[in-house]
Amino acid sequence: MTHALLVIDVQNDFCPGGALAVPEGDLIVPGINALMADFPAVILTQDWHPAGHSSFASTHNAEPMTMTDMPYGPQVLWPDHCIQGSIGAQFHPDLTVDRADLIIRKGYNPAIDSYSAFFENDHTTPTGLEGYLRTRGITDLTMVGLATDFCVNFSAVDAAKLGFTVTVREDLTRAIDFDGSLTAAREGMHAAGVVLA
């Protein structure tokens, strides 16, 4: 077994009606479920923030979708979302979660956000996913989920930098597209050697 499907953050808060809804985020769920059957390994990621997380605009008395500087660099200040134990943090109810071999939770450190499935936003603190994949002999990753321009993008680029062969299925992702972020993400993924399919 060398190939795994990585399903990024298909959670209620990123779907229509959620706190940080990605347009049409729910429409990719049936396709993701169908794709799971084609992979010997399926891994899910789950955004998992404590209340009052440092990436929340409310923590800074700021407007959502504004920028601030953190010790690790620029940070978008998001609406409160995917709070641990909340309905919003749960996976979309139609997602076939029982097919997952592993669920990686990220963003639980209150001091630092975590877009990537591999590293927190300081780009050095690992989540442990790389070690898991290597010990299982997985070399190829296909990524789907939410959102194309943030968590999928950061996960794909990090995986490629770590030496994995990475494909992003754009038909099974959706983007926030905040201030040109989708175009920048596509360019960054392409430059890193990620295949956009």
Side-chain angles (χ1 to χ4, degrees), residues 55-180:
S55 70
F56 293 168
S58 63
T59 303
H60 302 268
N61 294 313
E63 287 295 314
M65 311 307 284
T66 56
M67 297 292 294
T68 192
D69 286 318
M70 296 288 197
Y72 52 85
Q75 171 69 49
V76 179
L77 293 177
W78 303 106
D80 291 23
H81 66 281
C82 296
I83 294 171
Q84 295 172 2
S86 69
I87 298 294
Q90 293 176 9
F91 291 110
H92 188 282
D94 295 337
L95 187 69
T96 309
V97 296
D98 289 350
R99 184 62 182 76
D101 299 351
L102 176 73
I103 297 170
I104 286 277
R105 287 178 166 166
K106 59 191 182 64
Y108 51 78
N109 180 339
I112 185 168
D113 206 4
S114 188
Y115 298 154
S116 171
F118 292 90
F119 296 100
E120 294 185 349
N121 282 7
D122 61 1
H123 306 292
T124 57
T125 305
T127 64
L129 179 57
E130 179 192 2
Y132 175 84
L133 295 173
R134 297 215 189 278
T135 56
R136 291 195 64 186
I138 293 166
T139 56
D140 295 56
L141 296 171
T142 295
M143 297 191 187
V144 297
L146 303 170
T148 318
D149 41 345
F150 285 93
C151 294
V152 174
N153 167 40
F154 277 72
S155 298
V157 169
D158 280 347
K161 287 179 178 176
L162 290 169
F164 294 95
T165 300
V166 185
T167 301
V168 170
R169 283 280 302 269
E170 288 197 279
D171 59 324
L172 296 176
T173 65
R174 292 294 185 271
I176 296 171
D177 204 9
F178 166 61
D179 197 23

Side-chain angles (χ1 to χ4, degrees), residues 35-52:
L35 191 62
M36 287 181 183
D38 296 340
F39 289 84
V42 175
I43 297 155
L44 309 181
T45 70
Q46 188 175 22
D47 222 26
W48 197 247
H49 296 304

